[in-house]
Amino acid sequence: MLRFCIWTSIFFILIFAGVQKALAQGLEFSSNDSLINKRTSYNVFELESPKFKDQLTLKFDLSLWDVEHFGYILNITDKQQNSYSLTYMHSGNQANLYFNIDGKTSKLKIPLRKELLVKSKFLKLQLRMDLKHDLVIIDVNDKQYNALGFGFNPEIAPKIMFGKNDHYTDVPKMAIRNLSISDKSKVYAFPLNEWRGNQVYSKEGDPIGSVKNPHWLINESYTWAPVFDIKFNKPAGVNFNPIRNEVITYTADSLIRYNVISNTSSSAHYSTSMPLKLFLGKSLMNTRENSLYAYELNPQNSTHVTIAGLNLQDLSWKVVGHASLKQPRHHHNSFYNQKEDELYVFGGYGGYAYHNEFFKYDKKTDRWDQTSFLGDDITPRFFSADGPSTVPNEVYIFSGYGNQSGNQVVGAVHYYDLYRVNLTTHRITKCWEIKPTEKGFVPANNLILSADGKYFYVLCYPHEDAKTILKLYRFSVVNGKYEVVSGKIPVASERIESDINLFFDKSSKQFICTVQEFTSPEHSTLKGFTLAYPPINEQMYHQGLNKVYSKRSSYLMIGLSLAIFAITGLVYFFRRKRSALIAQKQLPQVSTSIAPEQSFRLVKPGPVRSALKDLNPIEKANSIYLLEEFSVYDSKARNITHLFSPKIQQLFVFILLNSKDGKGVSSKRISAHLWPEKELSKTKNIKGVTINHLRSILRDIDGIELEFTNDHYLFTFDERVFCDYFTIESFLKYGEAPEKVIADYIPIMLHGSLLPAMQDPWIDKFKNAFEQTIIEKLLPEMNAAFECEDYKLSQDLARVILKVDPFNDQAIKLLLYAMRRLKGREAAVRYFQQFREEYFVSLGINYPLSFEQLCP
C-alpha cells in the first residue's frame, strides 16, 4: 500500500506540475444568428480586475465574416461606469469598425476591405488607451487610427468583455485569438487554446476569465466537421471549384453546389441536357475556362459519349468525344495539363489486373493514346493520390496498391513512394520510398501541397476493411517522414465504386473531404466534412486539452499531492472494500426453469447490467456502445463520444476490455500498447495526461469508476451502466432461459462486430473470440429455429452471423430459404445477387454456387 500511495502522489505531481507549450487556436463567438441566451460572452477578468496605470493596451487577432449584422466586439467599463466599445457594422458594400464612448459619440471609424471578411482570415488589432494623454490609438494590420478627448483617469481597473456584455447583446460573426492585455509594468496573455468548458486560462495556466457559450477553435483543426449528407438513387460525380469555393455535385439532370465559406447549398437544372451517361462519375476541373469535364473511360456502350464539358457559368453541356479504353480503370489517377490543354489518366484496376500505363486524350483524333515517359518506372497500381507540384505542368503521384507484374493472381502489396511526373518533358523522377510499420493503408484520390511546397496532405485509410476510418496524413516532400494530423472519419467502403476526395479551399483555409458510399452502382450517399488549417496532430491536441500550470499552481498541486499521500491509504482500503461489495452484489437472478422443448441458452445477469433490462437503449443514460461504432452517453443521455480523442478512446477500450475478468491491465502494458514507438520511461507524462483526461470525461457517467491498484488499472461498474458488448457476450456464454427472449437481443447483435474501425493489434484477440462465440452459439440455434419452421428467428440469426462472417455458407443458405418463405422467391434472388456482388468485390472471384444450388 505504501508503494501505491507514493506512486499516486508522484502521479499527481507529474500531472499538475508538468509544463507544456500550448497551441493557440482561438475562440469563435455565437452571434446574432443565435438566441440571445445562446450568444457568446467572454469576461476577461472574472473575479477581480487588475489596475493598469498610464496606459491600457489590448492586442489580439480578429476574424470577422459578418455581412449582415451590427455587433459588439468588446466593451470596456471602469468603476466610474464609463463605458467604451469597439463595434462592427456592415452596411451596403462597406464594413467598418467603430470605437465609441457609449451613449455619447463615436470617436473612430475604421474601414475594412472586403477581402478581409473571410472566416479564418485573422487581422492583427491593437487598441492602446493612453490614459495619461487622453488618447486612443488603434492599429489594424499595421495601419494606425487615433482620437483624443475621452476624459480618461490616469489609472483604470477595467471590466473587459468580448461579445455579449452587461449592456449590449448584439454580437457579430467573429473569432479572436492570442489576446494580451498590458501596461508598461505587466502583461496578461491568453492563448485561448482551450478545447471545452467555460474557464479561460492565462498563458501561465492560471484560471482568470470565463466565457459563456464558447466555441473553441482547436476542435476544428483536429475533428472533421460534417457539413452535408446527400442521398442519390442515380449515378453522381463530385469535384471542387476553387473559383467559387464550391463543392459541386453533378447528376444526369442537375448540379448541386455547396459553398464552404457561406456553408450554404443550392441546386439548379442544366440549361442543356447532359450528353454523357454517368457510371463512375469521374471529372476534372478546367479553372481557366471555369468548366468541368466529366468522362467515362469504359462505358457499357462504345457508341456513347464518353467526355463532355459543363460550362459552370451558364450550365450548358457540350460533347467533347467518344473515345474509350478496352477495360475499366477503377481508382485511377487523372490530371490536366492546363498549358497544353491535355487530359491524362494513369494506373487503375480492371480486367483482373493492375495498370501503370499513361494515356493522353487526343482531341483531334478523339482517341486515348498510350504515352511513354522517360526516367523511373512506376509499378502497376491503383489507389494512388495525385496533385500538382510547385513546377508548372508537373504532378506528384503518391503510393498505391498493386504488384510488379500487374497480374492480380499473384497478389498485391502496398507502395509508399512518391514520384514527380513532368507533363512537358515526359520524365518521371522517383523522390523516395518508405516502409511504414503500421497496418497497410492507401491514400484517397488527391494530395494537397502546402503553400511552401515542403509537405503534402493526403487522406489515408485501410482499404481492405469494409468498415474503415479516414485520417489526414502530412508527408515531407523531401524524405517521406509523416504524421497523422486529424481525428478520424468513419467510412463504409463496401463497393469498389466508393470514392473519396480531398480538396482545399484557400480562401477559408479549410480542407474538404467528400466520401461517396455505394450500396449499388446507382445508389449512393455523398457526405462532406471540413477541417480547419493548419491541422494538428494528437499530441498538439492533447496539449490544447492540458492546461499549463503556473509555479503557484504547481506548489499548490505538490501540497495537494502530499495530502493525497496521507489519505490515499484510507481511500485505497475503502475502494477495495467497495469493489468487493460490488462484486458480491449480484443483480436479480433470472429463472432458468424451462420446458424441455425450449432449447435456447440465455444469459445469467452479466457484469454490467441485467440482460433482460432495457436491452436496446437508444441514447440511454450511462451507456457504452462497442458493437460496430464506438459511442458513449453520459448520465443525462447526452452523446459525449466527441470528447474521446483517438488516443483517449484507445486507452478507454483497452482498459475496459481487460476489465472483464476483474484483473485489469498493468501500467506497463498500457504504455507498450498505446505508445509502442516510445521507451517505457518516456511515456509516463503523456500516459498520465491521457488518463487524467479520461477520468475527467468519466465524471459525467454514473456507475463507472477507474481504479488503480497494484500497478493495474481496472474499471468497476454498478447496475446503472449499460454496455452492449458485455451484455451480448454474457448472453451467449451463461445460463438458460425461455426461447422467446432471443428476439430481444437480436437488435443489439445486429449492430455488428466489435469495433471494426479500431485496427490495433491488441484488440484482435477480443474480436476473434467474440466472432467465434457468435458463430459457435448461434449456428445451432439458427438450424434449430429453421427446423421448427420459425423462419423469422432463423432469418434474424443468419443476419447476425453474416455480420461477423459475411460469407458463411450455412448462414447465407438458411437466410435465403427463410427469406423465400417469408418474402417470396424474388426478394431472395435480389438478396443473393447483392451477396454475389459483395463476394466478388471483396475476394476478386465469383461465388461458386448459383441461387438454385443454394436454395433449390
Side-chain angles (χ1 to χ4, degrees):
M1 186 189 76
L2 178 61
R3 185 178 67 175
F4 173 78
C5 298
I6 294 172
W7 192 98
T8 304
S9 301
I10 294 173
F11 174 79
F12 277 93
I13 292 172
L14 288 174
I15 290 299
F16 294 110
V19 177
Q20 297 185 33
K21 183 179 179 181
L23 179 72
Q25 290 292 325
L27 171 65
E28 182 178 325
F29 288 68
S30 296
S31 67
N32 293 342
D33 288 338
S34 305
L35 296 174
I36 290 177
N37 65 346
K38 297 295 184 181
R39 296 174 192 174
T40 304
S41 174
Y42 169 32
N43 187 351
V44 179
F45 300 109
E46 179 184 18
L47 298 178
E48 182 179 359
S49 298
K51 292 181 179 180
F52 297 86
K53 187 176 181 181
D54 292 339
Q55 73 176 47
L56 171 65
T57 301
L58 286 77
K59 294 181 181 179
F60 56 95
D61 299 335
L62 173 65
S63 177
L64 286 161
W65 59 95
D66 203 319
V67 294
E68 300 173 342
H69 303 124
F70 163 83
Y72 284 78
I73 295 171
L74 66 88
N75 175 255
I76 303 171
T77 57
D78 60 20
K79 292 187 176 180
Q80 291 75 39
Q81 299 303 310
N82 296 311
S83 178
Y84 312 95
S85 292
L86 181 66
T87 59
Y88 168 84
M89 178 181 286
H90 189 282
S91 180
N93 293 320
Q94 181 58 52
N96 297 289
L97 295 176
Y98 298 87
F99 190 74
N100 316 302
I101 303 175
D102 291 329
K104 294 181 179 179
T105 184
S106 179
K107 301 289 287 187
L108 282 173
K109 179 180 179 181
I110 303 171
L112 298 177
R113 300 192 309 274
K114 184 178 180 180
E115 58 267 24
L116 295 175
L117 305 179
V118 177
K119 186 177 182 180
S120 77
K121 182 173 286 188
F122 285 85
L123 53 89
K124 299 286 185 181
L125 193 146
Q126 175 179 289
L127 167 62
R128 183 157 65 93
M129 298 170 63
D130 189 333
L131 307 177
K132 191 173 182 180
H133 299 97
D134 202 24
L135 171 69
V136 167
I137 302 172
I138 297 180
D139 287 336
V140 178
N141 283 352
D142 297 325
K143 189 170 182 180
Q144 193 173 99
Y145 305 84
N146 57 74
L148 291 164
F150 291 86
F152 294 141
N153 294 316
E155 189 175 77
I156 186 172
K159 181 173 185 179
I160 303 174
M161 299 191 70
F162 284 80
K164 190 178 75 169
N165 55 69
D166 295 340
H167 309 288
Y168 310 106
T169 61
D170 293 302
V171 183
K173 297 175 183 176
M174 69 175 189
I176 61 172
R177 67 185 185 192
N178 295 325
L179 171 65
S180 71
I181 301 174
S182 63
D183 59 13
K184 291 181 179 180
S185 63
K186 55 185 172 293
V187 178
Y188 295 86
F190 305 91
L192 300 177
N193 64 335
E194 287 77 8
W195 72 294
R196 71 167 181 166
N198 303 103
Q199 196 78 59
V200 181
Y201 293 79
S202 69
K203 184 179 180 181
E204 290 73 27
D206 295 314
I208 292 179
S210 68
V211 60
K212 295 178 181 178
N213 305 314
H215 179 79
W216 297 110
L217 292 179
I218 192 172
N219 294 297
E220 294 188 359
S221 291
Y222 185 75
T223 303
W224 289 91
V227 290
F228 60 79
D229 188 322
I230 312 170
K231 297 187 183 299
F232 296 99
N233 57 8
K234 53 189 172 184
V238 63
N239 214 311
F240 182 72
N241 183 4
I243 298 174
R244 297 185 57 173
N245 318 100
E246 292 177 338
V247 176
I248 51 178
T249 307
Y250 55 96
T251 65
D253 55 15
S254 59
L255 187 77
I256 301 172
R257 293 185 170 105
Y258 170 75
N259 190 288
V260 299
I261 295 178
S262 64
N263 191 29
T264 57
S265 297
S266 62
S267 62
H269 289 283
Y270 306 129
S271 59
T272 61
S273 298
M274 175 190 279
L276 173 71
K277 184 174 178 59
L278 291 178
F279 296 101
L280 296 180
K282 306 300 289 183
S283 63
L284 282 168
M285 280 295 305
N286 184 332
T287 54
R288 187 176 60 184
E289 298 178 357
N290 192 25
S291 297
L292 175 139
Y293 285 91
Y295 66 91
E296 297 289 344
L297 293 179
N298 185 243
Q300 296 179 0
N301 190 324
S302 59
T303 63
H304 284 167
V305 172
T306 56
I307 307 176
L310 173 64
N311 185 317
L312 294 173
Q313 189 65 35
D314 62 13
L315 298 188
S316 62
W317 284 96
K318 66 177 181 180
V319 175
V320 176
H322 298 75
S324 63
L325 299 181
K326 294 180 180 180
Q327 293 176 333
R329 291 288 195 273
H330 291 288
H331 297 283
H332 64 271
N333 298 94
S334 59
F335 20 86
Y336 185 68
N337 185 337
Q338 296 273 6
K339 182 178 180 181
E340 303 296 333
D341 193 25
E342 294 173 335
L343 173 63
Y344 288 84
V345 296
F346 163 78
Y349 168 81
Y352 303 101
Y354 310 109
H355 299 276
N356 66 341
E357 305 94 343
F358 286 86
F359 287 92
K360 181 176 71 173
Y361 178 67
D362 189 323
K363 286 186 176 181
K364 293 181 180 179
T365 61
D366 189 20
R367 187 175 62 196
W368 287 102
D369 293 327
Q370 187 170 342
T371 305
S372 299
F373 280 75
L374 304 173
D376 296 313
D377 292 326
I378 307 178
T379 54
R381 63 186 63 191
F382 73 143
F383 283 114
S384 295
D386 67 84
S389 77
T390 55
V391 178
N393 298 315
E394 185 176 87
V395 297
Y396 286 119
I397 294 179
F398 168 68
S399 189
Y401 187 74
N403 61 46
Q404 292 183 354
S405 70
N407 189 342
Q408 184 186 3
V409 174
V410 302
V413 296
H414 289 91
Y415 292 106
Y416 305 100
D417 45 13
L418 181 70
Y419 295 87
R420 288 201 322 267
V421 181
N422 193 295
L423 303 179
T424 301
T425 63
H426 282 200
R427 176 170 291 276
I428 299 173
T429 304
K430 186 174 183 178
C431 302
W432 44 257
E433 183 172 4
I434 58 173
K435 302 290 184 182
T437 57
E438 61 185 286
K439 179 180 173 67
F441 59 83
V442 298
N445 286 330
N446 316 326
L447 65 82
I448 305 297
L449 196 64
S450 63
D452 58 11
K454 295 180 180 179
Y455 304 94
F456 65 85
Y457 297 88
V458 283
L459 280 166
C460 298
Y461 61 105
H463 80 285
E464 294 169 311
D465 299 331
K467 303 290 186 181
T468 187
I469 55 172
L470 299 172
K471 292 182 180 179
L472 187 68
Y473 284 59
R474 186 179 78 160
F475 286 84
S476 167
V477 170
V478 175
N479 55 27
K481 289 184 177 180
Y482 71 92
E483 62 178 341
V484 177
V485 288
S486 82
K488 62 187 181 182
I489 303 174
V491 173
S493 182
E494 302 273 6
R495 298 182 60 88
I496 198 168
E497 296 94 344
S498 297
D499 190 45
I500 302 168
N501 294 279
L502 178 66
F503 307 112
F504 184 72
D505 181 61
K506 293 182 180 179
S507 297
S508 61
K509 294 184 179 179
Q510 292 184 89
F511 290 101
I512 304 104
C513 166
T514 63
V515 178
Q516 194 169 7
E517 300 171 338
F518 286 82
T519 55
S520 73
E522 292 80 25
H523 295 83
S524 66
T525 300
L526 179 67
K527 300 177 182 178
F529 305 85
T530 59
L531 184 77
Y533 183 90
I536 58 175
N537 61 30
E538 184 178 8
Q539 183 180 1
M540 296 170 73
Y541 185 62
H542 278 164
Q543 289 176 0
L545 314 187
N546 183 42
K547 291 297 120 197
V548 184
Y549 285 83
S550 63
K551 290 183 178 179
R552 183 180 65 206
S553 300
S554 298
Y555 294 150
L556 175 62
M557 291 306 135
I558 292 172
L560 286 175
S561 69
L562 294 176
I564 291 169
F565 179 83
I567 66 173
T568 302
L570 292 173
V571 174
Y572 173 74
F573 282 120
F574 277 118
R575 285 194 171 184
R576 284 296 297 268
K577 184 175 181 180
R578 183 176 181 275
S579 298
L581 289 174
I582 291 175
Q584 295 171 7
K585 182 183 176 183
Q586 293 296 320
L587 299 175
Q589 294 292 322
V590 179
S591 172
T592 58
S593 58
I594 57 176
E597 67 273 12
Q598 293 174 323
S599 64
F600 196 81
R601 292 167 290 282
L602 188 64
V603 62
K604 71 175 183 181
V608 181
R609 177 181 289 175
S610 170
L612 294 178
K613 179 181 178 182
D614 300 328
L615 282 172
N616 192 19
I618 298 176
E619 298 190 359
K620 180 73 178 176
N622 307 312
S623 293
I624 302 165
Y625 293 89
L626 304 181
L627 301 184
E628 197 61 22
E629 291 187 3
F630 175 82
S631 59
V632 180
Y633 294 84
D634 68 7
S635 60
K636 297 181 180 179
R638 295 175 301 195
N639 190 331
I640 59 171
T641 309
H642 64 282
L643 300 180
F644 290 79
S645 70
K647 190 61 69 177
I648 294 176
Q649 178 183 328
Q650 194 179 17
L651 173 68
F652 176 62
V653 173
F654 187 51
I655 300 175
L656 183 68
L657 295 184
N658 282 284
S659 297
K660 288 194 308 175
D661 55 6
K663 296 179 181 179
V665 60
S666 70
S667 179
K668 288 184 178 180
R669 282 187 64 202
I670 291 175
S671 296
H673 284 296
L674 268 67
W675 294 278
E677 74 283 0
K678 295 181 181 290
E679 297 178 14
L680 286 178
S681 60
K682 295 182 179 180
T683 63
K684 288 184 178 179
N685 190 40
I686 184 66
K687 178 174 63 182
V689 170
T690 309
I691 289 173
N692 191 42
H693 290 312
L694 176 59
R695 289 185 188 275
S696 177
I697 295 170
L698 295 180
R699 280 199 290 265
D700 295 330
I701 305 174
D702 293 337
I704 181 172
E705 288 195 28
L706 177 58
E707 297 192 353
F708 182 76
T709 306
N710 296 328
D711 200 38
H712 278 63
Y713 287 92
L714 172 72
F715 279 119
T716 58
F717 309 90
D718 64 27
E719 67 278 2
R720 290 174 291 177
V721 179
F722 172 88
C723 177
D724 56 352
Y725 165 68
F726 284 163
T727 296
I728 295 304
E729 189 175 64
S730 298
F731 168 71
L732 294 171
K733 286 187 176 182
Y734 301 107
E736 295 183 348
E739 178 180 339
K740 64 177 182 179
V741 300
I742 183 176
D744 296 327
Y745 291 86
I746 286 175
I748 306 178
M749 290 190 285
L750 282 173
H751 287 175
S753 55
L754 175 64
L755 294 173
M758 186 173 283
Q759 301 300 322
D760 305 273
W762 58 263
I763 201 175
D764 288 342
K765 71 172 183 179
F766 294 100
K767 292 183 177 182
N768 294 337
F770 181 68
E771 292 171 4
Q772 184 176 353
T773 302
I774 287 278
I775 294 169
E776 289 179 353
K777 298 292 185 179
L778 296 191
L779 270 178
E781 305 305 330
M782 176 188 71
N783 293 326
F786 188 83
E787 291 173 3
C788 295
E789 298 184 358
D790 189 343
Y791 301 122
K792 178 65 169 65
L793 179 58
S794 176
Q795 174 185 264
D796 290 342
L797 291 173
R799 289 185 185 276
V800 172
I801 294 169
L802 291 171
K803 276 283 185 179
V804 299
D805 185 5
F807 306 124
N808 186 284
D809 290 329
Q810 283 184 265
I812 187 62
K813 182 175 182 178
L814 283 194
L815 176 62
L816 294 175
Y817 266 110
M819 187 175 288
R820 189 173 66 178
R821 295 293 184 99
L822 294 170
K823 299 181 180 180
R825 187 178 189 280
E826 185 178 346
V829 169
R830 282 200 306 270
Y831 186 91
F832 178 69
Q833 289 173 343
Q834 183 179 350
F835 169 80
R836 289 191 65 184
E837 290 176 4
E838 293 174 355
Y839 188 93
F840 178 78
V841 169
S842 299
L843 303 181
I845 58 175
N846 291 319
Y847 187 68
L849 301 176
S850 66
F851 178 82
E852 287 71 20
Q853 289 173 307
L854 268 180
C855 194

